[in-house]
């Protein structure tokens, strides 16, 4: 009997110790946060940030009544914020904002609520380049937290941003035309369907094109899952609210959250696990909320037993479409990594009244660059599966600064400007790639002057103001992208053509690259002033090989991104 009691006692000790393993106090995690943010070395490893995120998340989940919960939720946002600053990842920045919003929603009376609003605004403004969203956060401080210590800073940011409105439609005669059929029209959410099974409720989002979606789970008193569908428009038939009320899911809400995204919110009765699938033919997102409904939800827009016109979404169909893929697994947002490159803007140099350089037989640079841009866009879409937008899809004129402004507006991850080189000497030939920086030699300055449509003196004047613009330009990333693209071009062209000269990677003050907030390069594919290279530039085969090489360069750049951005 005595031995039995000893065994029981030992088992209790094991159980108690197992409960305490990994259970950290708020002060302990806060000290870890301070240690991480004080060490540049520790900040270089993504795993350090992710461990802290997990610790804060576990504390929040396991201690819903702790008096330090608002502080822990605030520091969770700050941790995501710090990671996004180190990684440059838009996903990390979005997670920071979601964490801040969760804290503000749950603790609107906290002394840290106005701090969370301000940091959410700064993250939206500086890392997502979303001034409209930033304006909303700052404005809320001035209306709801006028006694807080962030009021003056919020007012300063509002004064700096000025009025933030959606720009009115331009007159057709002067508008910059971006034809949807050529640049990849924005996806549309056309329909939201649902039905209940015995162990899940399935919600289907019917789309016209593939969409980038980053689900975020919010627990607490009002558990919900929300999706920001990037660059997606709501169809006219989508209702703001789709009631389900089956004991597992309350409703699905949808709204045009901003000009850049639509938001879909699934309101739950209680925190639940879910599975996620992205399907095509037709495109749709299928979300399974796991659990047993207390009563069956009536399928929306679909009678029982009837196959939807949007495509079957039963589990057998999903598994058939993913035979080679592993079985669907539980989605854990805090462990999801940003893949880095989702949207690329390809710029066809010159256009309209600006023909660019003119080669033998009146071969215009603007014609060559447009053909190259369309071929590159096609290959990037098919080989990398990314969204690709063209600054121009026809022979239209664009100011140089409009091109990067467009890339910034659509939140591009890369900007690639395509050109054909020219020289006073018809014997000059070769391939080179540029990134934005002060020109280091006369030849680079010459190329910049020609592409800018200015004089050498103007290039010198441009250098004087370039320092003010360098803070927002990703020079290091651009130089790495330029190196990968240049190397891939030479490697891809040499086996097929003679006299391929590697002119290397150079830097110069190009107008077309000024203001870009993403890695950006300018590719001079060949010399249009050289008769041999002009024939190649006008050849479909050469254009295809150049495009293919640039795609390989982008792939290599993506693979070489610093480990802090991607494990």
């Amino acid at each position: 009997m005595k031995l039995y009691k000893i065994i029981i006692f030992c088992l209790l000790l094991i159980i108690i110790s197992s409960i305490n393993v990994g259970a950290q106090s708020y002060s302990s995690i806060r000290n870890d946060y301070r240690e991480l943010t004080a060490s540049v070395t520790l900040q270089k490893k993504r795993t350090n940030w992710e461990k802290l995120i997990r610790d804060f998340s576990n504390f929040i989940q396991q201690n819903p009544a702790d008096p330090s919960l608002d502080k822990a939720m605030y520091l969770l946002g700050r941790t995501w914020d710090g990671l996004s600053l180190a990684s440059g990842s838009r996903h990390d920045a979005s997670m920071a904002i979601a964490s801040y919003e969760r804290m503000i929603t749950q603790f609107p009376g906290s002394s840290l609520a106005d701090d969370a609003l301000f940091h959410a605004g700064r993250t939206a403004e500086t890392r997502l380049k979303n001034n409209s969203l930033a304006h909303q956060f700052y404005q809320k401080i001035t209306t709801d937290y006028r006694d807080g210590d962030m009021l003056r800073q919020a007012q300063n940011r509002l004064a700096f941003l000025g009025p933030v409105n959606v720009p009115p439609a331009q007159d057709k005669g002067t508008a910059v035309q971006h034809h949807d059929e050529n640049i990849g029209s924005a996806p549309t959410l056309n329909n939201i369907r649902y039905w209940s099974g015995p162990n899940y409720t399935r919600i289907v989002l019917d789309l016209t094109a593939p969409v980038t979606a980053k689900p975020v789970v919010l627990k607490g008193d009002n558990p919900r899952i929300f999706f920001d569908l990037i660059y997606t428009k709501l169809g006219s038939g989508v209702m703001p609210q789709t009631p389900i009320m089956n004991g597992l899911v309350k409703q699905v809400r949808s709204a045009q959250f901003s000009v850049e995204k639509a938001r879909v919110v699934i309101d739950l009765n209680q925190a639940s696990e879910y599975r996620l699938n992205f399907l095509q033919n037709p495109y749709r997102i299928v979300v399974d909320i796991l659990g047993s409904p207390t009563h069956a939800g009536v399928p929306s827009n679909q009678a029982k037993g009837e196959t939807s016109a949007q495509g079957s979404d039963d589990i057998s169909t999903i598994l058939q479409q993913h035979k080679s893929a592993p079985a669907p697994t539980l989605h854990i947002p805090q462990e999801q990594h940003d893949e880095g490159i989702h949207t690329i803007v390809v710029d066809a140099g010159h256009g309209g009244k600006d023909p660019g350089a003119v080669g033998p037989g009146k071969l215009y640079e603007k014609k060559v660059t447009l053909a190259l841009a369309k071929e590159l866009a096609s290959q990037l879409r098919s080989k990398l599966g990314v969204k690709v937008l063209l600054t121009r899809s026809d022979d239209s004129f664009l100011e140089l600064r409009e091109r990067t402004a467009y890339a910034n507006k659509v939140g591009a991850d890369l900007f690639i400007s395509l050109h054909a080189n020219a020289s006073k000497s018809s014997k000059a030939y070769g391939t080179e790639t540029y990134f934005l920086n002060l020109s280091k030699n006369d030849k680079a300055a010459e190329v910049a002057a020609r592409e800018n449509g200015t004089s050498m003196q103007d290039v010198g004047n441009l250098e004087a103001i370039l320092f003010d613009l360098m803070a927002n330009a990703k020079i290091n990333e651009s130089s790495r992208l330029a190196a990968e693209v240049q190397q891939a071009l030479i490697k891809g062209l040499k086996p097929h053509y003679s006299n391929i000269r590697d002119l290397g990677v150079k830097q110069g003050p190009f107008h077309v690259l000024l203001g870009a907030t993403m890695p950006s390069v300018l590719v001079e594919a060949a010399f249009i002033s050289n008769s041999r290279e002009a024939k190649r530039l006008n050849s479909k085969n050469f254009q295809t090989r150049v495009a293919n090489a640039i795609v390989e360069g982008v792939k290599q750049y993506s693979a070489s991104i610093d480990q802090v951005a991607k494990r």
Side-chain angles (χ1 to χ4, degrees):
M1 189 67 175
K2 187 175 181 180
L3 179 61
Y4 175 76
K5 288 182 178 180
I6 292 173
I7 293 172
I8 295 295
F9 179 72
C10 291
L11 287 172
L12 286 173
L13 285 178
I14 292 171
I15 293 170
I16 291 169
S17 63
S18 67
I19 291 172
N20 288 327
V21 169
Q24 289 182 271
S25 65
Y26 166 71
S27 60
S28 172
I29 308 173
R30 181 190 59 195
N31 290 339
D32 291 343
Y33 171 82
R34 289 174 176 171
E35 182 181 356
L36 176 59
T37 53
S39 171
V40 175
T41 302
L42 292 176
Q43 290 174 35
K44 290 180 179 179
K45 292 186 177 180
R46 185 180 181 98
T47 51
N48 294 333
W49 292 100
E50 290 178 332
K51 179 185 180 302
L52 194 59
I53 287 169
R54 283 195 297 272
D55 290 344
F56 273 125
S57 299
N58 290 336
F59 175 83
I60 292 166
Q61 184 175 359
Q62 296 167 11
N63 301 277
D66 193 284
S68 300
L69 194 61
D70 62 329
K71 299 181 181 68
M73 295 178 76
Y74 171 73
L75 286 183
L76 175 61
R78 296 293 292 146
T79 306
W80 275 113
D81 221 339
L83 175 56
S84 75
L85 185 62
S87 69
S89 163
R90 293 175 62 85
H91 171 245
D92 294 340
S94 297
M95 290 301 294
I97 292 175
S99 299
Y100 289 135
E101 287 183 303
R102 178 185 176 190
M103 181 265 175
I104 296 161
T105 300
Q106 193 161 338
F107 296 99
S110 169
S111 61
L112 292 170
D114 59 332
D115 296 77
L117 278 168
F118 184 78
H119 287 299
R122 288 296 287 161
T123 302
E125 180 185 352
T126 60
R127 295 205 271 294
L128 297 185
K129 307 302 177 185
N130 188 336
N131 289 350
S132 176
L133 180 59
H135 193 281
Q136 294 174 38
F137 288 125
Y138 299 143
Q139 189 66 46
K140 189 171 178 63
I141 295 174
T142 65
T143 56
D144 296 356
Y145 296 93
R146 295 193 62 82
D147 295 331
D149 58 356
M150 305 306 293
L151 177 63
R152 177 163 294 183
Q153 292 187 60
Q155 290 173 332
N156 289 341
R157 295 316 304 162
L158 287 170
F160 177 82
L161 292 175
V164 176
N165 298 308
V166 178
Q170 295 173 294
D171 180 77
K172 290 185 178 180
T174 59
V176 177
Q177 300 294 324
H178 301 292
H179 300 294
D180 285 348
E181 64 272 17
N182 287 313
I183 66 174
S185 56
T188 300
L189 174 59
N190 277 334
N191 194 19
I192 297 176
R193 299 176 286 134
Y194 70 90
W195 59 91
S196 297
N199 300 309
Y200 67 94
T201 294
R202 175 158 297 158
I203 297 162
V204 181
L205 311 181
D206 293 316
L207 298 149
T208 60
V211 167
T212 299
K214 302 288 186 184
V216 177
V217 177
L218 299 178
K219 297 181 180 178
D221 295 335
N222 298 300
R224 57 198 183 277
I225 303 168
F226 73 81
F227 297 80
D228 282 340
L229 307 179
I230 308 301
Y231 308 118
T232 302
K233 296 181 285 190
L234 287 184
S236 58
V238 176
M239 302 299 292
Q241 291 181 318
T242 303
I244 297 180
M245 306 301 290
N246 65 359
L248 184 62
V249 180
K250 294 179 182 178
Q251 63 181 352
V252 181
R253 293 178 284 132
S254 58
Q256 195 71 48
F257 188 73
S258 70
V259 294
E260 295 179 350
K261 62 188 174 186
R263 175 167 288 184
V264 175
V265 182
I266 303 173
D267 291 314
L268 306 172
N269 285 86
Q270 60 187 22
S272 303
E273 295 180 352
Y274 72 97
R275 291 194 177 103
L276 179 68
N277 281 283
F278 293 85
L279 305 180
Q280 55 186 356
N281 298 322
Y283 296 106
R284 58 207 187 278
I285 299 174
V286 179
V287 188
D288 284 346
I289 308 298
L290 306 182
S292 300
T294 54
H295 59 277
V298 179
S300 64
N301 301 335
Q302 184 178 351
K304 288 185 178 181
E306 181 183 350
T307 302
S308 166
Q310 297 294 333
S312 174
D313 298 301
D314 59 80
I315 195 69
S316 61
T317 303
I318 292 174
L319 293 177
Q320 282 292 321
Q321 293 194 15
H322 293 268
K323 282 182 178 179
S324 60
T329 55
L330 176 64
H331 177 87
I332 306 174
Q334 63 263 32
E335 293 186 0
Q336 186 180 51
H337 303 294
D338 190 356
E339 293 301 322
I341 299 174
H342 303 291
T343 304
I344 298 175
V345 167
V346 175
D347 171 52
H350 308 279
K353 65 182 182 181
D354 173 19
V358 182
K362 292 188 176 180
L363 177 62
Y364 293 133
E365 182 182 0
K366 66 176 183 177
K367 174 189 173 184
V368 168
T369 58
L370 182 58
L372 268 173
K374 289 183 176 180
E375 180 62 29
L376 176 58
S378 176
Q379 291 202 36
L380 285 168
R381 289 173 186 140
S382 63
K383 294 182 178 179
L384 301 188
V386 295
K387 182 171 183 176
V388 184
L389 306 175
L390 297 179
T391 54
R392 67 180 181 94
S393 55
D394 55 20
D395 186 23
S396 55
F397 173 76
L398 284 159
E399 295 289 348
L400 294 175
R401 294 297 299 276
E402 286 182 305
R403 300 168 190 255
T404 48
Y406 175 62
N408 292 339
K409 179 181 177 182
V410 300
D413 300 300
L414 297 179
F415 178 81
I416 302 172
S417 187
L418 301 175
H419 293 261
N421 218 332
S423 172
K424 293 177 182 177
S425 170
S426 61
K427 295 181 179 180
Y429 71 99
T431 300
E432 57 191 354
T433 306
Y434 285 86
F435 64 95
L436 177 68
N437 213 332
L438 297 179
S439 58
K440 298 299 182 184
N441 56 58
D442 290 341
K443 285 189 177 180
E446 261 183 51
V447 175
R450 183 176 58 77
E451 297 295 2
N452 293 343
T454 58
S455 65
M456 288 286 283
Q457 181 180 353
D458 288 331
V459 171
N461 295 336
L462 177 62
E463 290 180 353
I465 65 168
L466 191 58
F467 288 107
D468 293 333
L469 298 163
M470 297 291 272
N472 289 326
K474 297 198 171 183
I475 303 301
N476 291 336
E477 292 91 335
S478 296
S479 65
R480 189 186 306 126
L481 175 61
E484 296 291 356
V485 167
Q486 177 67 16
Q487 185 176 348
L489 280 166
I490 301 306
K491 183 179 179 181
L493 295 176
K494 269 193 172 181
H496 306 283
Y497 300 95
S498 60
N499 298 309
I500 295 296
R501 176 184 287 175
D502 184 0
L503 297 178
V505 173
K506 298 174 182 175
Q507 45 194 312
F510 291 88
H511 276 276
V512 73
L513 301 181
L514 279 176
T517 57
M518 72 292 300
S520 53
V521 296
L522 183 147
V523 176
E524 298 279 5
F527 278 75
I528 201 169
S529 53
N530 179 287
S531 58
R532 179 183 65 249
E533 294 204 334
K535 290 179 182 177
R536 291 175 180 175
L537 284 167
N538 202 31
S539 159
K540 177 66 175 175
N541 284 340
F542 185 78
Q543 293 165 6
T544 300
R545 294 191 191 283
V546 167
N548 182 63
I550 293 175
V551 171
E552 288 302 311
V554 171
K555 284 173 66 177
Q556 291 302 314
Y557 166 78
S558 179
S560 70
I561 289 176
D562 195 335
Q563 291 299 309
V564 74
K566 252 198 212 179
R567 282 191 299 188

